[in-house]
Amino acid sequence: MTTKATPVHSRAASAWQLSRAAWAVTAVFALSNSPTPLYVYWQHRVGFSAGTLTVIFAAYIAGLVAALLVAGRAADFYGRKSVVVPGILVALASAVLFMVAQNVAVLLIARLLVGIAVGVVVSAGMAAVVDLGGEYRRNLTSMLASIAMVFGAGLGPLLGGVVYEVTGSPVVPVFSINVVLLLLALGGYVGLPLARSTPNAGFPWPRLPRVLEQHRRHVSTGAAVFAPGLTATSFVLSLGPSLLILAVGNTSPLLAGGAACVMFLAATGSQLALTKLPVHRLFALGAASTVLAVSAVALTVTTKNPWLFVAAAVFAGTGQGLGQLGGLRLIAHHVDSNRRAEANAALNISAYLPAAILTVATGYAVGQWGMPSAATILAGIVGALALVLGIASYRLNCGE
């Protein structure tokens, strides 16, 4: 038995209400990337290898994917707020665990929980932003949802890097600030005009998100550009500090956090600057940016030039941002509101799974072959995928 379509309010929300809904996405993503410049600190304090570091990163992906198996459908069944608010509470629990982490096990649990929270906001939270905008502002609200994500993703590492630069004990201050940001997000959700549905079926048990046949092209072509871009940004987030140490000789947490921040500022800026382009051109530019990003990664480890690493971060952010924007726009325009959160979940699973697999494999390859060889192999694989899939996505969406 299926449910009735989830009702949404008949009047578009105000700019203030839209910003409150978007802030929840920003706050959770800020938490998700705040640990990036702190990994070097934990490696020295706790003691673990680059391979273990990528496993910690993969715990985040595991939590995210697990949440995507249920969060999108649950949000379409019970309403966005009923799913997003618990997601923010899970993020708060994760922030507290990061504060007290003294071993790898606690870091793994904290990363798993923040992955769950991110899975909630990329499906239910971003769908809520689009819903609040109404059917006639879907271009604007899909861009706002995407920018909320990448702005938070960039804010987190900048916060971590700045705090680490000014204090030798950065963990408690960084995650205390994250707790405040999340509490603001929790308060902001109170009173949002997000309608609740009355489902006539049981609880939506975990399963892979399902997309109607007529919408599969829209989700798959978005993922085809989003996934390689996300893999490039995942490499910068998880192994960027190690790359700077092993290949460039720079251990500055501010540089590691700053590069990650610049990466997501590039994602934000590219979406703002190019939002009026048709989807197929967004996909073409996104794929090209990812190819340039991984090329710059390969050149970084051979030349040991830190500016090439910054260039890699800028192109990676642009590739992810434009791929994500194009995918979200296709979903906003073609998928009904009562299936939109599940379509968002499908888009993100299709992107995050390959990103996790390739990043973890690279982390262990670093231990076996060294950073130059591992990073060069990753660059070749991701570059080839970005090129082939980008061309296919461009051709399939020329009429959009």
Side-chain angles (χ1 to χ4, degrees), residues 224-225 228-229 283 286-291 294 381-392:
V225 181
F283 284 161
S289 295
T290 301
V291 172
V294 295
I381 293 171
V382 176
L385 287 173
L387 183 61
V388 172
L389 296 176
I391 291 172

Side-chain angles (χ1 to χ4, degrees), residues 168-195:
S169 301
V171 173
V172 172
V174 167
F175 293 106
S176 296
I177 295 171
N178 274 288
V179 166
V180 172
L181 299 181
L182 289 164
L183 289 174
L184 290 173
L186 191 62
Y189 248 73
V190 175
L192 285 181
L194 289 164

Side-chain angles (χ1 to χ4, degrees), residues 62-388:
L64 186 151
V65 171
L68 291 175
L69 295 178
V70 67
R73 294 179 62 227
D76 288 337
F77 270 61
Y78 299 117
R80 315 308 191 203
K81 191 185 299 185
S82 299
V83 177
V84 174
V85 169
I88 297 172
L89 294 174
V90 170
L92 283 165
S94 171
V96 172
L97 286 177
F98 276 123
M99 284 188 201
V100 302
Q102 298 293 325
N103 54 56
V104 171
V106 177
L107 285 173
L108 283 168
I109 295 170
R111 287 297 284 168
L112 180 74
L113 290 180
V114 77
I116 291 171
V118 167
V120 167
V121 298
V122 298
S123 52
M126 296 174 80
V129 176
V130 176
D131 290 349
L132 283 168
E135 294 303 307
Y136 297 101
R137 292 195 286 177
R138 287 175 293 184
N139 270 4
L140 172 65
T141 51
S142 58
M143 181 184 71
L144 176 62
S146 188
I147 286 176
M149 170 185 164
V150 294
F151 176 70
L155 176 64
L158 179 63
L159 168 66
V162 169
V163 174
Y164 194 2
E165 192 73 16
V166 299
T167 177
S169 301
V171 173
V172 172
V174 167
F175 293 106
S176 296
I177 295 171
N178 274 288
V179 166
V180 172
L181 299 181
L182 289 164
L183 289 174
L184 290 173
L186 191 62
Y189 248 73
V190 175
L192 285 181
L194 289 164
R196 299 184 62 163
S197 63
T198 305
N200 55 15
F203 182 78
W205 295 106
R207 62 162 170 77
L208 288 174
R210 294 175 184 169
V211 179
L212 295 179
E213 185 175 354
Q214 63 266 33
H215 300 143
R216 287 174 188 167
R217 173 176 65 85
H218 305 119
V219 174
S220 62
T221 54
V225 181
F226 183 25
L230 184 65
T231 304
T233 59
S234 297
F235 174 85
V236 173
L237 287 171
S238 62
L239 289 173
S242 298
L243 174 62
L244 289 170
I245 293 171
L246 296 176
V248 182
N250 192 309
T251 61
S252 168
L254 186 57
L255 178 57
C261 179
V262 166
M263 179 170 68
F264 289 110
L265 287 177
T268 304
S270 63
Q271 291 181 50
L272 286 170
L274 303 174
T275 186
K276 293 184 179 180
L277 290 180
V279 168
H280 68 285
R281 292 186 179 177
L282 292 175
F283 284 161
L285 291 174
S289 295
T290 301
V291 172
L292 290 173
V294 295
S295 300
V297 165
L299 288 172
T300 299
V301 296
T302 57
T303 66
K304 298 185 178 181
N305 185 334
W307 290 108
L308 282 171
F309 177 75
V310 174
V314 170
F315 285 124
T318 302
Q320 176 188 328
L322 296 181
Q324 181 185 31
L325 176 60
L328 288 174
R329 184 179 294 175
L330 289 175
I331 290 172
H333 277 277
H334 296 283
V335 179
D336 294 338
S337 62
N338 64 309
R339 301 190 69 94
R340 193 172 289 149
E342 188 169 10
N344 284 351
L347 173 69
N348 283 281
I349 282 180
S350 300
Y352 275 98
L353 271 180
I357 292 168
L358 286 171
T359 303
V360 171
T362 303
Y364 279 99
V366 168
Q368 293 293 321
W369 305 323
M371 176 62 78
S373 297
T376 301
I377 292 170
L378 175 73
I381 293 171
V382 176
L385 287 173
L387 183 61
V388 172

Side-chain angles (χ1 to χ4, degrees), residues 52-64 108 111-112 356 360:
T52 301
L53 175 57
T54 54
V55 171
I56 293 171
F57 180 80
Y60 160 78
I61 302 292
L64 186 151
L108 283 168
R111 287 297 284 168
L112 180 74
V360 171

